[in-house]
Amino acid sequence: MEREDGIQQPLSSEQVMSEVHLGCPPNHSGPHLSHFTISLPPRYENSILRGNTDAVEDMSISASTMFDLDEDGDLILTRRKSKLSSPKKEGFYQELSFVWRAELVLTDFVLHLMSTSSDFDKVVALELGAGTGLVGILLARVAKTVFITDHGDEVLENCEKNVDLNAEIFHGKASVHVRELDWKDSWPPQEENTSPSKGRYSWTQSEIEELKKASLLLAADVIYSDDLTDAFFSILKKLMLDNPEKVLYLAMEKRYNFSLDDLDVVANGYSHFRSYLITEQADDAGCKQLDSASEPFFVGEQIDLRYIPCYVRNYNRGNDVELWKIKLNHKALS
């Protein structure tokens, strides 16, 4: 199993992880330049064609990717490559963190809302477990402030490269900050740890205050181990309590294991994720009803991906990627 920072973790003897990578150049290890093409409908305020997805503009994005091989010679990281006749300057460096299918689905969703509504205009937003920072960087086309966060200097340096490389696509007054956010640390950081002398990715007090105003949280493919899921919802609760109207959009891909206990392929990590949520109706996937005796702190609503166009070209969403809208459960707080 890989963590987001690319470090291999041992599997328990009872479980065998399925292959989750998308495919990448054969027999390749080291830097690799990939290209994206994203097709967008016209911005709603600039065209009477609002809602007409036949009229599109193309955005070219390249990605420098570091491929690593495991001990069997299999590629740990996967990327696809699109042929572009004239790549533009915009791009993404991806060296130690990965772009997964769930992140591309979240990208489609964000681009759809940006192109067809003003919902994300001038918002303060936070991307959790950003990896390459793809979603946060694209959001800076309309948002007021975007905090792109992850854990570890190498991952954050990669995000910073991407921010610098793509600054020209931001709107003129956008502020984009790359910051360290370890979900297992306390939040907010202690005041003595909020100065540039504590590290280039440390928070300032003014940034912490601005983050409290954030209305939009984003995360993709951060659910793949129970410990990580617990840490994620722990920090999410702290962040949302600053502003109970915050909304999280989370894209995830189910991780299937072969369990010797069950003698079957199961998605235990998915069930653990769903145990943190309630929905308006109970189902067979672990979600609880709104009137349950012990109410979770979060309400989840699954978004139907059939209504989200594929703006990112040349990738297959598959059947195991889901997109969730998550908010605080106000009944649990009262």
Side-chain angles (χ1 to χ4, degrees):
M1 178 191 298
E2 296 100 15
R3 296 195 326 223
E4 281 197 335
D5 54 11
I7 296 179
Q8 295 286 319
Q9 291 181 315
L11 297 172
S12 67
S13 59
E14 293 80 15
Q15 296 182 344
V16 179
M17 289 295 292
S18 63
E19 179 60 64
V20 296
H21 305 303
L22 298 177
C24 50
N27 303 318
H28 183 96
S29 183
H32 175 72
L33 183 65
S34 299
H35 299 283
F36 299 86
T37 301
I38 297 175
S39 296
L40 298 177
R43 278 285 289 165
Y44 68 98
E45 73 270 31
N46 293 331
S47 175
I48 60 173
L49 297 174
R50 181 178 178 181
N52 179 7
T53 57
D54 293 332
V56 299
E57 55 177 313
D58 285 351
M59 177 191 298
S60 302
I61 299 175
S62 61
S64 177
T65 306
M66 179 68 73
F67 286 103
D68 295 315
L69 304 178
D70 63 21
E71 59 185 7
D72 297 319
D74 296 323
L75 286 162
I76 295 173
L77 173 63
T78 63
R79 295 291 308 134
R80 73 204 183 296
K81 184 176 182 181
S82 300
K83 295 181 179 179
L84 298 176
S85 57
S86 56
K88 299 179 183 178
K89 184 177 180 181
E90 298 94 328
F92 286 88
Y93 284 108
Q94 182 185 317
E95 295 172 349
L96 294 174
S97 48
F98 312 148
V99 175
W100 299 105
R101 186 181 286 114
E103 186 170 1
L104 298 179
V105 167
L106 185 60
T107 297
D108 279 337
F109 173 75
V110 168
L111 290 172
H112 186 58
L113 266 290
M114 285 167 51
S115 300
T116 60
S117 77
S118 60
D119 291 358
F120 294 162
D121 288 10
K122 300 180 181 179
V123 299
V124 177
L126 168 68
E127 185 179 5
L128 293 153
T132 60
L134 170 62
V135 176
I137 287 170
L138 290 172
L139 186 63
R141 300 180 73 210
V142 298
K144 174 188 175 185
T145 305
V146 181
F147 293 100
I148 296 176
T149 68
D150 212 309
H151 177 49
D153 283 350
E154 291 176 310
V155 175
L156 294 169
E157 287 170 4
N158 189 56
C159 285
E160 194 169 47
K161 289 179 182 178
N162 289 334
V163 169
D164 293 341
L165 185 63
N166 292 279
E168 290 185 0
I169 72 172
F170 304 165
H171 75 80
K173 297 183 179 180
S175 297
V176 180
H177 307 282
V178 176
R179 293 291 177 262
E180 174 97 19
L181 185 54
D182 186 343
W183 303 342
K184 296 182 180 180
D185 284 349
S186 61
W187 182 264
Q190 299 298 315
E191 187 169 352
E192 60 268 20
N193 295 323
T194 56
S195 68
S197 63
K198 295 298 181 179
R200 61 194 293 187
Y201 303 116
S202 62
W203 295 79
T204 66
Q205 283 298 319
S206 62
E207 290 169 353
I208 293 171
E209 290 303 313
E210 184 169 19
L211 184 58
K212 291 180 180 179
K213 305 172 186 176
S215 59
L216 175 64
L217 308 179
L218 301 159
D221 210 83
V222 296
I223 304 296
Y224 50 84
S225 75
D226 289 356
D227 288 346
L228 187 69
T229 300
D230 293 339
F232 176 77
F233 279 104
S234 176
I235 193 67
L236 183 64
K237 180 180 176 182
K238 296 173 185 176
L239 291 166
M240 284 192 161
L241 285 174
D242 287 336
N243 175 5
E245 300 307 315
K246 280 187 173 74
V247 176
L248 166 72
Y249 291 103
L250 182 146
M252 61 171 297
E253 184 172 0
K254 294 181 183 178
R255 296 290 191 258
Y256 289 101
N257 308 325
F258 179 80
S259 169
L260 296 180
D261 291 336
D262 300 305
L263 293 179
D264 198 1
V265 176
V266 295
N268 289 325
Y270 179 73
S271 299
H272 188 65
F273 157 72
R274 293 291 297 267
S275 71
Y276 274 93
L277 305 178
I278 53 175
T279 57
E280 292 184 356
Q281 294 181 344
D283 55 31
D284 58 1
C287 257
K288 302 177 182 180
Q289 298 184 61
L290 284 172
D291 59 355
S292 60
S294 177
E295 295 197 32
F297 278 96
F298 302 98
V299 178
E301 175 189 350
Q302 189 173 352
I303 296 172
D304 194 337
L305 292 176
R306 292 176 298 176
Y307 299 101
I308 308 300
C310 286
Y311 298 112
V312 182
R313 296 182 183 176
N314 302 321
Y315 85 99
N316 181 8
R317 286 180 178 174
N319 298 318
D320 298 315
V321 178
E322 295 182 355
L323 180 61
W324 286 83
K325 179 180 180 180
I326 298 174
K327 301 183 69 173
L328 275 179
N329 175 19
H330 293 282
K331 289 178 62 178
L333 299 178
S334 59

